[in-house]
């Protein structure tokens, strides 16, 4: 009995040692896969599948405000398109979220210099009383200045906060603009303001096209009317305020919450040949704001992912792992589709090989970053080497967040990339009426498709994994 016990103990130790060794084994990509991916990359660079997809979506459906009739048409269009593209599986998953509607919006300076202003309501804004709201404007140069203000100077007034964004390749000023748009209205409401205005979170100084976007209101009872001015109109209001005379403004917003809505994430798959339950996740969000046609934000992202998966599907041999395309619901008003997806799939996070989402327009991808286990860095370097000839540089010093919606799966432990597009002019068009198909360069979009197809295929063919596990990347900061 004692001898048998020793044998069992020895076997257990050997099994544990083997397991530990396997866990530390480097992930690599076979040379055969590298060669196939190079051919795939070159084919994708001259393929119009992605452009044809986004052209069809924006022409046949147009803008897709979450919960609207157009959103429903967009879902139906995408389901039909995924099926026509020949994916092995096409299905939906439910997403519930508050329904918010926009009907009309107007603003004007009443005194001292009466004139109309170009304005758009922000998501989750409350509506004004019937006939509009007229009040004195109090202006602040920054959100911090509003934070420091005496609430008595704000109460009952329309708060205006300025924010100045500059064009940048990586769009990093948007962090400041987004905070002013989301947190500013909430702060103003708590201070007793009657309404909130901000200088649009955008970079188009010569266009009277205000940029919308969501606020931070989560309860309709707490919301106040909130809107964004186009940059020239914001300049005008700031000049009037500098005159030193009391400024009165009328705001008329017919918008508001309309209960709850049940939408859907639309999903398509190319089933893996060897490991069908292991997934490379790519995607974009299907909803858009209603001012333009949702071309760069984010019809392009769904198109890039769908086209990349289609090109992989059409290869002579299926990938070893499943390629999953996710067209997320209602990203614009709070990552509702991404959060619902992560909640539903968190238990299977270890089966997610690698993932990322496209949601920064259609400019060429110029940088790749990654959040993976140390033993997979060599495989990321292999992917980078295949992408380098088409203009993508690998920065090993930065984490990869997975994109907007898939950041939620990354937060659960999914290994993730960030594939950064050239967003120099992205915020000229972001969330405004100029987000239309003509802003997309077909050749630049094809480069995006090539990048997504190449990385997804190589990740699917890798010998080993990239480190996905519950809580695996909790401290890398990429999903904050």
């Amino acid at each position: 009995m004692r001898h048998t016990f020793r044998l069992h103990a020895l076997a257990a130790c050997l099994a544990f040692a083997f397991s530990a060794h396997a866990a530390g084994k480097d992930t690599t990509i076979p040379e055969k896969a590298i060669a196939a991916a190079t051919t795939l990359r070159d084919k994708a660079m001259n393929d119009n599948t992605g452009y044809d997809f986004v052209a069809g979506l924006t022409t046949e459906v147009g803008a897709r405000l979450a919960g609207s009739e157009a959103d429903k048409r967009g879902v139906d269009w995408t389901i039909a398109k995924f099926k026509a593209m020949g994916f092995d599986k096409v299905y939906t998953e439910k997403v519930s979220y508050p329904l918010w509607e926009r009907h009309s919006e107007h603003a004007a300076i009443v005194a001292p210099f009466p004139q109309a202003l170009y304005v758009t309501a922000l998501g989750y804004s409350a509506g004004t009383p019937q006939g509009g709201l007229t009040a004195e404007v109090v202006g602040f140069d920054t959100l911090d200045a509003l934070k420091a203000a005496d609430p008595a100077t704000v109460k009952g007034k329309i708060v205006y906060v300025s924010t100045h964004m500059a064009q940048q390749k990586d769009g990093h000023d948007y962090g400041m603009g987004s905070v002013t748009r989301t947190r500013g209205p909430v702060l103003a409401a708590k201070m007793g303001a009657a309404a909130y205005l901000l200088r649009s979170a955008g970079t188009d100084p010569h266009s009277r096209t205000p940029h919308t976007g969501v606020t931070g209101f989560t309860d309709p009872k707490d919301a106040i009317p909130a809107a964004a001015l186009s940059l020239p109109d914001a300049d005008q209001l700031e000049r009037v305020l500098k005159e030193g005379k009391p400024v009165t403004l009328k705001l008329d917003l017919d918008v508001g919450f309309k209960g709850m809505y049940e939408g859907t994430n639309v999903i398509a798959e190319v089933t893996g040949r060897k490991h069908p339950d292991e997934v490379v996740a790519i995607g974009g969000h299907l909803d858009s704001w209603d001012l333009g046609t949702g071309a760069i934000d984010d019809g392009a992202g769904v198109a890039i992912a769908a086209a990349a998966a289609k090109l992989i599907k059409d290869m002579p041999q299926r990938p070893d792992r499943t390629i999953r395309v996710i067209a997320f619901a209602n990203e614009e008003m709070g990552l509702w589709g991404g959060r619902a997806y992560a909640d539903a799939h968190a238990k299977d996070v270890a089966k997610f090989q690698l993932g990322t989402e496209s949601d920064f327009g259609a400019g060429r991808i110029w940088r790749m970053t990654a959040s993976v286990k140390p033993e997979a860095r060599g495989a990321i370097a292999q992917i980078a080497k295949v992408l380098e000839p088409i203009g993508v540089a690998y920065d090993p010093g930065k984490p990869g967040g997975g994109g907007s919606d898939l950041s939620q799966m990354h937060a659960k432990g999914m290994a993730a990339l960030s594939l950064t597009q050239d967003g120099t002019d992205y915020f000229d068009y972001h969330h405004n009426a100029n987000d239309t198909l003509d802003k997309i360069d077909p050749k630049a979009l094809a480069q995006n498709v090539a990048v997504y197809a190449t990385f997804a295929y190589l990740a699917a063919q890798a010998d080993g994994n990239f480190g996905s596990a519950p809580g695996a990347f909790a401290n890398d900061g990429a999903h904050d």
Side-chain angles (χ1 to χ4, degrees):
M1 181 70 71
R2 186 174 297 174
H3 178 68
T4 304
F5 175 80
R6 287 174 179 170
L7 286 177
H8 286 166
L10 178 61
C13 289
L14 289 172
F16 177 81
F18 178 80
S19 170
H21 174 74
K25 184 180 179 182
D26 286 346
T27 298
T28 60
I29 300 172
E31 285 303 317
K32 184 178 179 181
I34 297 288
T38 302
T39 300
L40 174 65
R41 177 201 68 196
D42 294 344
K43 179 182 179 182
M45 286 291 288
N46 295 288
D47 186 85
N48 291 324
T49 303
Y51 186 80
D52 291 344
F53 188 108
V54 69
L57 178 62
T58 56
T59 301
E60 297 170 29
V61 179
R64 303 167 301 282
L65 184 67
S68 67
E69 287 299 319
D71 182 28
K72 293 178 185 176
R73 293 197 304 272
V75 167
D76 291 342
W77 187 96
T78 304
I79 292 170
K81 186 68 172 179
F82 282 172
K83 289 179 178 178
M85 294 173 82
F87 291 119
D88 299 317
K89 294 180 182 177
V90 178
Y91 56 99
T92 62
E93 295 179 353
K94 294 178 180 179
V95 181
S96 295
Y97 51 83
L99 177 61
W100 182 86
E101 296 180 347
R102 181 202 315 275
H103 299 291
S104 66
E105 50 213 357
H106 304 281
I109 296 173
V110 175
F113 310 121
Q115 56 193 282
L117 299 172
Y118 281 71
V119 66
T120 187
L122 300 175
Y124 294 157
S125 164
T128 56
Q130 189 171 4
L133 180 157
T134 301
E136 184 179 343
V137 179
V138 56
F140 298 92
D141 291 335
T142 65
L143 185 60
D144 285 340
L146 172 61
K147 291 177 182 177
D150 181 350
T153 65
V154 168
K155 189 173 182 180
K157 296 180 181 179
I158 297 174
V159 167
Y160 167 76
V161 178
S162 184
T163 180
H164 290 263
M165 288 172 52
Q167 287 188 336
Q168 290 125 356
K169 194 173 184 180
D170 66 356
H172 64 261
D173 265 8
Y174 184 59
M176 171 266 297
S178 177
V179 166
T180 303
R181 190 193 69 229
T182 55
R183 298 182 187 174
V186 176
L187 175 62
K190 289 179 178 178
M191 296 173 75
Y196 180 87
L197 288 174
L198 84 153
R199 179 186 182 89
S200 283
T203 54
D204 54 339
H206 308 301
S207 175
R208 296 185 81 177
T209 51
H211 301 241
T212 189
V214 76
T215 63
F217 294 125
T218 57
D219 189 331
K221 296 192 298 294
D222 298 330
I224 61 174
L229 289 166
S230 78
L231 273 58
D233 288 272
D235 290 340
Q236 184 79 324
L237 178 59
E238 289 174 21
R239 284 190 291 269
V240 175
L241 287 167
K242 285 178 182 177
E243 291 281 332
K245 303 174 184 179
V247 178
T248 304
L249 188 143
K250 181 178 180 180
L251 187 63
D252 192 349
L253 305 181
D254 182 4
V255 301
F257 290 89
K258 301 293 180 181
M260 293 297 291
Y261 179 84
E262 188 171 276
T264 56
N265 290 331
V266 183
I267 304 167
E269 293 183 357
V270 179
T271 305
R273 185 170 61 96
K274 291 184 178 179
H275 309 290
D277 61 335
E278 297 179 12
V279 173
V280 178
I282 54 179
H285 66 85
L286 186 56
D287 69 304
S288 78
W289 287 106
D290 49 328
L291 306 182
T293 62
I296 63 169
D297 187 19
D298 186 32
V302 179
I304 289 162
K310 172 70 162 60
L311 288 166
I312 293 171
K313 181 188 78 68
D314 291 345
M315 293 176 74
Q317 189 175 70
R318 287 184 168 275
D320 288 350
R321 295 175 177 86
T322 293
I323 310 297
R324 181 176 294 168
V325 178
I326 311 159
F328 290 98
N330 199 358
E331 183 272 349
E332 294 294 5
M333 284 190 260
L335 299 174
W336 291 96
R339 289 192 283 141
Y341 186 86
D343 288 344
H345 295 274
K347 64 184 183 302
D348 299 319
V349 70
K351 295 181 179 179
F352 282 72
Q353 176 79 339
L354 192 61
T356 194
E357 176 185 7
S358 175
D359 186 16
F360 192 42
R364 290 177 181 268
I365 295 170
W366 60 277
R367 181 176 67 191
M368 178 176 74
T369 61
S371 288
V372 298
K373 67 180 184 180
E375 296 86 356
R377 283 288 166 185
I380 294 296
Q382 287 181 286
I383 294 172
K385 188 173 181 180
V386 183
L387 295 178
E388 186 177 8
I390 57 173
V392 182
Y394 171 42
D395 183 348
K398 291 182 179 291
S404 55
D405 290 288
L406 278 171
S407 69
Q408 303 302 293
M409 276 303 294
H410 179 50
K412 302 291 187 184
M414 180 189 76
L417 300 182
S418 284
L419 297 168
T420 310
Q421 293 148 302
D422 186 337
T424 302
D425 64 355
Y426 178 68
F427 291 106
D428 284 2
Y429 315 123
H430 176 256
H431 291 185
N432 74 24
N434 284 325
D435 179 2
T436 48
L437 184 65
D438 58 294
K439 309 309 184 300
I440 295 178
D441 174 0
K443 288 295 184 184
L445 191 72
Q447 186 258 11
N448 277 257
V449 173
V451 172
Y452 270 75
T454 300
F455 110 75
Y457 177 75
L458 289 173
Q461 301 307 107
D463 288 336
N465 64 67
F466 290 83
S468 294
F473 305 100
N475 299 318
D476 76 355
H479 47 76
D480 293 344

